[in-house]
Amino acid sequence: MSATAPSARITGIYRYPVKGLTPEQLTRAELSAGQTLLADRRYAIENGPSGFNPAEPKWLPKPNFLMLMRDEWLAGLRTQFDDASNVLSINHNGQIVAQGNLATPEGRTAIENFFASTFPDLIKGPPKVLESPGHSFSDVARKVVSIINLASVRAIENMVGAPVHPLRFRANLYVEGWPAWHEFGLLDRTLAIGDVRLKVVKRIVRCAAVNVDPDTAQRDLAIPQALQRRLGHGDCGIYAEVITGGMISADDTIAAEQPELL
């Protein structure tokens, strides 16, 4: 990687209040050290008993929950979560079909009953809304911010010979300005967004969730297989941990700090 990193900017900020459900676009977000974006993967919907204990939350692999890797029909729902009221609204086929305050037993039951009655043949067991304060139902155990380089998405479009919606990758931050795959050279580097600092800790190994079109809910591509064939791995995107918090906004510059010389 060259000593002078290309300048880049954040083109989109997204959070996912309920694992597997609709992304919500933000114009700005407050990042806190050691935390995810506010309310990112705050809730999950258990797909049959998982053993998750809200009093002693432990990370569990995603097959315990409703998720796009297996349940592509989730992409056909449009959901919205309101931070102030804790109300989740579910829109299906153009109309609101369920609403519930996820902070109350009655609200959670309303959401659970929707999934149990509408998709009985597509779920493994009783759906249950899960939450534990401060816990994130991320695909990885550590609390991270996920970043996608849009040039890498365009490289994947060339591999598969079809348009690839960036939201297939369900990232928190989308970045424009880096060359394709530049992000892999940033492992263990610090990213600066104004006064905010994030440390890149891991490449993201993609699963079958990225094969689902977020607009049509159709499983219509084989992206991990294409990556394996062409590049010898199934990775796209990076995880970063927030080490210095602060406010970030869409269109902010994101830059890799130069490594310290020992």
Side-chain angles (χ1 to χ4, degrees):
M1 191 174 66
S2 63
T4 304
S7 74
R9 64 185 181 90
I10 298 169
T11 62
I13 304 173
Y14 291 83
R15 68 167 188 176
Y16 304 79
V18 183
K19 186 178 185 69
L21 299 184
T22 302
E24 295 188 357
Q25 188 167 14
L26 307 172
T27 56
R28 58 209 305 264
E30 180 82 31
L31 295 181
S32 299
Q35 299 298 318
T36 64
L37 262 70
L38 178 67
D40 191 54
R41 277 81 173 187
R42 175 178 169 183
Y43 299 95
I45 300 173
E46 186 180 57
N47 192 9
S50 68
F52 181 80
N53 181 0
E56 296 181 19
K58 292 183 172 58
W59 179 85
L60 291 174
K62 58 188 169 186
N64 288 288
F65 313 112
L66 292 179
M67 45 96 188
L68 285 170
M69 184 177 81
R70 177 193 55 227
D71 311 309
E72 68 269 17
W73 49 271
L74 290 171
L77 304 175
R78 294 293 176 264
T79 59
Q80 185 172 17
F81 179 73
D82 180 67
D83 286 311
S85 64
N86 289 309
V87 169
L88 178 72
S89 302
I90 302 178
N91 185 303
H92 187 42
N93 294 330
Q95 61 182 350
I96 298 290
V97 290
Q99 278 187 317
N101 179 346
L102 299 187
T104 68
E106 298 81 10
R108 292 192 293 272
T109 297
I111 299 301
E112 293 160 0
N113 286 346
F114 165 75
F115 283 99
S117 61
T118 310
F119 306 104
D121 298 330
L122 298 176
I123 55 180
K124 296 188 301 181
K128 182 179 179 183
V129 176
L130 300 178
E131 180 201 18
S132 181
H135 184 74
S136 176
F137 293 92
S138 171
D139 286 353
V140 291
R142 56 209 299 183
K143 290 184 179 178
V144 289
V145 173
S146 58
I147 303 172
I148 283 289
N149 174 6
L150 290 170
S152 300
V153 176
R154 290 192 288 273
I156 291 172
E157 289 182 323
N158 290 332
M159 287 181 198
V160 299
V164 174
H165 197 312
L167 288 184
R168 286 177 184 261
F169 298 93
R170 297 179 69 78
N172 297 128
L173 306 182
Y174 288 88
V175 174
E176 189 69 87
W178 290 336
W181 314 118
H182 174 80
E183 63 274 26
F184 292 157
L186 300 175
L187 200 63
D188 297 322
R189 297 277 298 277
T190 299
L191 301 177
I193 309 169
D195 294 331
V196 173
R197 297 294 183 272
L198 304 95
K199 184 179 181 183
V200 181
V201 295
K202 192 176 187 298
R203 290 162 53 146
I204 303 176
V205 181
R206 305 320 312 200
C207 69
V210 298
N211 294 336
V212 180
D213 186 306
D215 288 333
T216 67
Q218 298 300 307
R219 193 179 297 277
D220 57 1
L221 293 176
I223 290 172
Q225 296 90 324
L227 288 168
Q228 285 287 353
R229 271 197 314 274
R230 295 287 293 275
L231 303 179
H233 62 72
D235 304 349
C236 181
I238 49 178
Y239 287 125
E241 289 182 336
V242 181
I243 53 177
T244 304
M247 186 67 70
I248 63 170
S249 300
D251 219 33
D252 279 354
T253 296
I254 181 168
E257 293 189 331
Q258 294 303 318
E260 293 182 6
L261 298 176
L262 301 178

